[in-house]
Amino acid sequence: MPAESTWSTPLGAVTIDMEAAGELVGGGLAVADDVPHAPEHALEVQLPLLQVLGFSEVLPVAIGVAGAQEVAALLAKVATPGSIVLCSTDLSHYLTQEQAEAADARTVDAIVRLDADGIGERAACGRYALRGLLAWARGLDLGVRVLHQATSGDEGGPRDRVVGYLAASLGA
C-alpha cells in the first residue's frame, strides 16, 4: 500500500484511500511502503484515464509474491459494492507470435474458467495479482468476458519477439 496520501498525474493529484489502506495494514494483509510503487508502471497510464472518468480516490496495491487466497482476502476486505477492481498485467513476454498465441490461449482459457492455478509461472508478469483476482472472482461466482486479445506483433511490432495483451471484464 502507498504510504503517501496523494499521487500526482499530468491531470493533477489523485487521493489515496488511506482509510482502506489502513484497514489492510492494520489487518496484516498489507504493508505501507512507497518503494514498490516507484518502479511500477502499471498505473501510470490508467490513473489519468480514471481521472477523466471522474474517479478522484484510488487504492493502489502492488502485489509481490503472494498466494491467490491471500490476494483474494485482501480484495474481499476492500472491494465493496460499487468498487472497480483493476488488475494490470501483460501476458507472455518475448516469444514468437506463434508461441505467444499458443501460450496466451492457455492463459486466457484459465482466466475465463477463473482457474487461479492455471496461470503458469511465465504466463503473466502480474501472475500473483491475477491469480488472486481469479480466486476472489470465483468466490463471488463472477463471469469473465474477453473484450480484446492481441500481441504487440498484431499491433505493428516485430513478430519474432512479442508481448501478449488481454482486456477482459468480470461481472455477475
Side-chain angles (χ1 to χ4, degrees), residues 17-144:
D17 184 344
M18 297 307 286
E19 182 179 334
E23 288 179 30
L24 294 176
V25 172
L29 294 170
V31 296
D33 189 351
D34 291 318
V35 173
H37 294 279
E40 178 52 54
H41 58 85
L43 287 177
E44 69 186 348
V45 173
Q46 294 173 0
L47 283 178
L49 294 173
L50 292 171
Q51 285 176 290
V52 167
L53 292 173
F55 292 90
S56 60
E57 187 174 65
V58 298
L59 180 63
V61 180
I63 303 292
V65 177
Q69 294 307 318
E70 292 172 289
V71 176
L74 181 146
L75 288 171
K77 180 81 172 170
V78 295
T80 59
S83 295
I84 294 177
V85 177
L86 299 174
C87 178
S88 182
T89 183
D90 297 329
L91 298 181
S92 62
H93 280 70
Y94 311 130
L95 303 175
T96 66
Q97 179 72 23
E98 296 75 25
Q99 291 168 327
E101 287 172 354
D104 292 347
R106 290 188 297 274
T107 302
V108 171
D109 179 63
I111 291 168
V112 168
R113 291 183 292 108
L114 299 175
D115 178 12
D117 295 331
I119 306 300
E121 287 301 308
R122 298 190 50 135
C125 56
R127 64 189 169 276
Y128 299 109
L130 179 56
R131 289 172 182 157
L133 176 74
L134 296 177
W136 172 74
R138 180 176 280 255
L140 294 174
D141 200 27
L142 299 178
V144 175

